[in-house]
Amino acid sequence: MSRLAVPKTYKLYIGGKFPRSESGRTYEVTSKDGVFLANAAKASRKDARDAVVAARSALSGWSGATPYNRGQVLYRIAELLEGRRVQFIDEIEQSEGVSTEAATAQVDEAIDRWVWYAGWADKYVQVAGNANPVSGPYFNLSVPEPTGVVAIVAPQGTSLLGLVSVVAPALVAGNTVVVIASESLPLSAISLSEVLATSDVPGGVVNILTGSPAEITPWLASHADVNALDLTGAGDLDWIDLEIAAAETLMRVLRPENGTDAAAPSLDRITALTETKTVWHTKSLI
């Protein structure tokens, strides 16, 4: 006896919850050869604003956690993703039209990047910070701190790896994130949000929007409560205008990257989303 398929409904991920777009809009997600896979929510300006509010609300708790604890949380994401490898491999095969081997390699690399960045969580401050030589009886210390709320356009050519590559380094430093997933390959992004929701990541630390980067990004670039804008996946947009909009609020901007492995793991991706605080302290005269 045949049975009806139960297609998955792919929603947004905002504040630790899974709302539909406030506009009610969806769009069809198809495979490379045009086969219908699912409907995904098409985020609006209001959804982007709600995501920024959620990210701002979560910032103090996440940035205030110890670096060691943040590393534990990131490692827990890798553990849960490892347990759902088969699901992610299947989604990538269907949506990207690649072989099982290629899909497996992408999932494995995504897991490894969570682990790699988790390892940096309690170490990057020692590498990026320093004690400065000064003239006088003072200690002078420079320490990196999180920039704040980071809006990100994920690489558009991969389902999972590009998203992980831009989100993980932002989280390491204690930032919170609003990320626009790949428009044509959004399924793994929302499946990843289910991993985040069942991990130790507090609600609002990561917010995932699906839909059109061309529609959503300008609202994030001009949002006064966004502190940094990562345009890694915005190469096909008019990103110069986005930079100009971001300059109105002195927003930090990372420019688009091209290539099959945009946002490759590096310490620079962590420190690019930090601010340096320098502290002076008098030496004891005793």
Side-chain angles (χ1 to χ4, degrees):
M1 178 179 177
S2 61
R3 57 184 295 273
L4 291 174
V6 183
K8 183 175 177 179
T9 301
Y10 289 81
K11 301 177 185 177
L12 308 175
Y13 184 58
I14 300 174
K17 299 179 181 179
F18 294 90
R20 293 176 172 83
S21 172
E22 60 82 29
S23 67
R25 298 180 302 168
T26 62
Y27 68 102
E28 291 189 356
V29 180
T30 61
S31 65
K32 288 294 184 182
D33 52 4
V35 176
F36 174 81
L37 297 177
N39 287 313
K42 189 170 186 178
S44 66
R45 174 189 182 185
K46 177 63 164 55
D47 296 317
R49 292 172 65 186
D50 289 346
V52 173
V53 170
R56 178 61 61 186
S57 297
L59 180 60
S60 61
W62 182 244
S63 62
T66 66
Y68 180 73
N69 180 239
R70 286 200 296 269
Q72 288 178 309
V73 172
L74 296 184
Y75 187 80
R76 178 60 177 159
I77 297 171
E79 288 181 331
L80 293 175
L81 191 54
E82 181 76 36
R84 295 177 62 167
R85 286 176 73 253
V86 174
Q87 174 195 346
F88 281 92
I89 290 168
D90 182 60
E91 283 181 341
I92 291 171
E93 277 188 87
Q94 290 185 62
S95 59
E96 294 190 21
V98 297
S99 66
T100 301
E101 291 75 15
T104 300
Q106 183 177 159
V107 174
D108 288 348
E109 181 61 25
I111 294 170
D112 290 347
R113 288 196 183 178
W114 281 119
V115 174
W116 192 85
Y117 278 114
W120 272 109
D122 60 352
K123 301 175 183 66
Y124 85 94
V125 171
Q126 288 84 347
V127 177
N130 56 276
N132 306 309
V134 293
S135 178
Y138 306 101
F139 294 111
N140 184 265
L141 306 174
S142 293
V143 181
E145 293 194 335
T147 296
V149 175
V150 181
I152 302 174
V153 182
Q156 298 294 295
T158 62
S159 302
L160 179 65
L161 183 58
L163 185 79
V164 171
S165 298
V166 290
V167 169
L171 298 184
V172 169
N175 300 294
T176 55
V177 166
V178 177
V179 59
I180 306 170
S182 169
E183 182 175 11
S184 61
L185 305 170
L187 305 190
S188 290
I190 300 303
S191 292
L192 178 63
S193 71
E194 295 171 357
V195 170
L196 299 174
T198 54
S199 70
D200 300 323
V201 180
V205 170
V206 180
N207 304 275
I208 300 177
L209 305 177
T210 53
S212 169
E215 176 183 346
I216 306 168
T217 310
W219 300 117
L220 293 173
S222 60
H223 198 301
D225 210 23
V226 173
N227 303 107
L229 182 65
D230 182 347
L231 297 175
T232 295
D236 292 335
L237 305 182
D238 191 350
W239 58 268
I240 297 296
D241 280 352
L242 296 173
E243 273 196 318
I244 294 171
E248 294 293 326
T249 57
L250 304 181
M251 193 182 297
R252 176 77 57 85
V253 178
L254 277 64
R255 289 184 166 183
E257 293 184 29
N258 298 314
T260 56
D261 192 16
S266 71
L267 179 62
D268 288 341
R269 287 207 66 85
I270 301 174
T271 58
L273 297 172
T274 62
E275 306 286 346
T276 300
K277 178 177 74 175
T278 299
V279 178
W280 293 73
H281 194 284
T282 57
K283 294 180 179 179
S284 173
L285 299 179
I286 299 175

